[in-house]
Amino acid sequence: MENHKYINFGKREILELDQKKFHSLLKSTGSAARTVLAAVFGSRRPADRVLSTWFRDNRRCGSRDRRFISESIYALLRNWGLLRRFLPAERLAEIESGTIRLGRAELDALLFGALYLDAHDLPTARLLARELNLRWPQPLPAAEPLIGRAAALAKLFGVPVEFHLSDLVPEWVAGALPADFPFDRFLADLRRRPPMWLRAQCDDPARLAEELTEAGLTVHRHERLPAALRVNDPRVNLHTLESFRRGDFEVQDLASQCIGLAAAPRPGEQWLDACAGAGGKSLQLADLMKRRGTVVACDVRSYKLDDLRLRARRAGFPNIVTREWDGKPFHGKQADRFNGVLVDAPCSCSGVWRRNPDGRWTLPPEELTKTAELQQTILAAAAPAVRPGGVLVYATCSLFPVENGMVVEKFLAEHPEFTLEPFANPLTGEPTSGQLQIRSFDGDCDSMFVARMRRKEEK
């Protein structure tokens, strides 16, 4: 499927296919969309992993075809809150229970609507409209362009529906956010694709940025954080770059980088990353420590640490040790041992809905309470590892207070030996109270929460 003709349309490449080949591409896109929707709604599997598996099983799709398929499906998920309103109630109930009985025409119409609403690549949407024999809908007058587009689609398909931006998330979400949360800005960001952020892991980030630019990436350095590099619309396989093989950078979102900066480990210290996972923050801690001292990376899922071992080996980190953790409170030789402990707790992942739009539709509101209870358990179990005078850092990629400030408040009430410690907001330099909620619109990034607590010295 790579023998298509591609032409330049402004700054975008679009497909110019004969009818047979375009039918083939649409069929592949529909197949992938069915698979993703069934897995996301049927078993709450992450869309990115499902799509990655689909590509492995369908290797005939070349890189441009994969990009078209990926962008179409993510546009579908990003705009699902609007698109779902075009569907009859019984059909919507089927889909959101994981049963995908959409006919080819219905699915193609949904994909067209997704690309039209997304407005990221309208030339390709026009090609799809032409293939489907659809009249191109002119956006109707509205205060918000997206609502004007949705209204135009409703007119085209003959569906009498009134749309609101709040349709982009489930109804319960607004009530779970802080009362003063700028909801409109949040909704605006959910419609925008996030950039890729890299963290320079070398002595000369400026030279790294130049090298990446020479490789064909569009790179922008953050104005305050020298190691943070923003890459827009990456079209280069990072794993093929020599700078990647040297371990000179890691893919790490800007908000995630702020967690390590709030922890502020010093060279020669002993740190514990209690929920290390694949180890992005462990690597950052080790780098901030100038590769001196030790970072012990733990996780209850030992297989998650395999990726960290590979990444640490590639970059030549001598000060990262991996250990499986049984989730029980640290005791014995592990108690009172570490200068700092990072608890990057499992959460709703609402802060990465921009990157993983399927997540907003598969999270039941009652799960927030259960997750908060788990977070309390993990934080209490990790706290004994902090030595007197040491630092305990709690972080999530959530926007909901029940998982963030309320967890910290309850922990401090039950553990008076810890107190909040103010730190500077890494993005602005402004002082914080010891807690910081980073929102996507604060830095064109994910949303994350971090709290820094100090254990009192023993008398």
Side-chain angles (χ1 to χ4, degrees):
M1 294 181 66
E2 272 292 276
N3 57 346
H4 307 327
K5 177 185 177 185
Y6 285 79
I7 62 174
N8 287 326
F9 193 103
K11 294 184 178 180
R12 298 280 300 170
E13 271 187 335
I14 65 171
L15 295 158
E16 185 67 23
L17 311 175
D18 61 41
Q19 195 173 43
K20 182 178 179 180
K21 291 175 180 175
F22 196 40
H23 281 165
S24 178
L25 181 57
L26 281 181
K27 184 177 180 181
S28 295
T29 306
S31 171
R34 289 176 190 278
T35 300
V36 170
L37 289 175
V40 165
F41 289 116
S43 55
R44 296 174 61 186
R45 293 175 57 200
D48 56 346
R49 296 181 190 174
V50 178
L51 189 55
S52 178
T53 299
W54 189 92
F55 284 136
R56 284 199 301 271
D57 294 339
N58 294 268
R59 296 184 183 276
R60 68 186 184 282
C61 294
S63 59
R64 292 187 180 94
D65 292 340
R66 289 197 300 271
R67 185 161 65 244
F68 177 86
I69 293 169
S70 294
E71 291 181 355
S72 298
I73 290 175
Y74 275 95
L76 180 65
L77 294 170
R78 243 191 317 274
N79 294 285
W80 183 250
L82 297 173
L83 294 169
R84 67 198 296 272
R85 305 198 62 204
F86 288 94
L87 296 167
E90 62 276 9
R91 185 53 55 88
L92 178 61
E94 287 177 358
I95 294 173
E96 295 192 343
S97 66
T99 303
I100 313 300
R101 294 175 179 164
L102 290 170
R104 173 72 183 272
E106 291 177 294
L107 188 55
D108 285 349
L110 275 177
L111 290 170
F112 164 70
L115 290 174
Y116 177 75
L117 291 175
D118 208 49
H120 180 71
D121 189 3
L122 291 181
T124 301
R126 285 183 182 275
L127 288 173
L128 184 53
R130 186 177 67 190
E131 175 64 24
L132 300 176
N133 294 317
L134 290 174
R135 176 175 53 82
W136 183 256
Q138 294 298 329
L140 298 181
E144 163 56 51
L146 179 63
I147 298 305
R149 288 187 175 280
L153 280 179
K155 183 178 180 181
L156 174 66
F157 294 128
V159 180
V161 177
E162 184 177 340
F163 299 94
H164 304 279
L165 280 182
S166 57
D167 293 332
L168 291 171
V169 295
E171 292 182 4
W172 62 265
V173 169
L177 292 168
D180 59 348
F181 190 81
F183 194 53
D184 288 345
R185 293 190 69 183
F186 170 59
L187 293 176
D189 260 11
L190 287 182
R191 291 145 46 200
R192 297 170 51 229
R193 303 178 183 199
M196 175 187 288
W197 284 94
L198 307 179
R199 178 178 56 79
Q201 204 164 246
C202 58
D203 294 333
D204 193 348
R207 175 58 197 140
L208 173 63
E210 293 175 2
E211 187 175 340
L212 294 174
T213 300
E214 292 168 359
L217 294 167
T218 302
V219 181
H220 302 276
R221 297 185 66 194
H222 193 274
E223 58 272 15
R224 284 189 57 85
L225 308 182
L229 309 175
R230 189 181 77 244
V231 179
N232 290 329
D233 199 19
R235 298 293 183 90
V236 177
N237 185 346
L238 299 179
H239 294 180
T240 65
L241 302 180
E242 180 60 31
S243 52
F244 175 81
R245 288 194 281 266
R246 292 196 305 264
D248 286 352
F249 68 86
E250 287 286 339
V251 177
Q252 186 178 9
D253 186 76
L254 178 65
S256 177
Q257 295 184 43
C258 289
I259 305 303
L261 294 172
R266 299 175 182 173
E269 290 186 335
Q270 304 289 312
W271 272 75
L272 171 69
D273 186 354
C275 305
K281 295 180 181 68
S282 297
L283 291 164
Q284 184 188 15
L285 294 174
D287 191 45
L288 290 171
M289 292 162 61
K290 306 299 182 184
R291 303 177 182 245
R292 301 198 298 273
T294 304
V295 175
V296 178
C298 297
D299 204 285
V300 294
R301 304 154 299 176
S302 59
Y303 68 91
K304 284 280 189 178
L305 300 170
D306 293 342
D307 193 37
L308 170 57
R309 296 184 187 99
L310 293 175
R311 297 162 77 183
R313 189 179 307 124
R314 182 178 64 244
F317 277 104
N319 60 330
I320 296 179
V321 178
T322 59
R323 296 280 188 272
E324 184 177 3
W325 180 32
D326 59 10
K328 297 178 181 178
F330 285 92
H331 63 279
K333 294 181 179 179
Q334 300 300 316
D336 302 337
R337 171 184 170 184
F338 295 93
N339 300 96
V341 172
L342 170 61
V343 177
D344 183 16
C347 67
S348 65
C349 297
S350 53
V352 296
W353 280 352
R354 204 178 155 203
R355 194 175 305 281
N356 301 312
D358 49 301
R360 68 187 90 157
W361 301 109
T362 58
L363 177 69
E366 59 271 15
E367 191 167 302
L368 295 182
T369 301
K370 296 178 182 178
T371 304
E373 292 172 354
L374 175 61
Q375 292 163 338
Q376 290 284 355
T377 300
I378 294 173
L379 189 56
V386 181
R387 67 173 56 175
V391 172
L392 175 62
V393 177
Y394 174 73
T396 75
C397 55
S398 174
L399 285 163
F400 300 128
V402 67
E403 298 182 288
N404 296 336
M406 292 172 65
V407 170
V408 172
E409 181 180 350
K410 183 176 180 181
F411 172 81
L412 291 175
E414 296 175 353
H415 298 81
E417 69 273 23
F418 285 93
T419 56
L420 283 171
E421 181 172 76
F423 61 92
N425 182 337
L427 295 178
T428 65
E430 297 176 355
T432 72
S433 64
Q435 300 182 79
L436 173 64
Q437 177 71 72
I438 299 172
R439 304 159 303 184
S440 59
F441 41 83
D442 291 332
D444 199 9
C445 56
D446 293 337
S447 297
M448 292 198 173
F449 172 85
V450 59
R452 179 183 170 97
M453 296 166 275
R454 176 76 66 176
R455 183 177 176 181
K456 298 174 183 178
E457 295 277 5
E458 293 181 345
K459 295 181 179 180

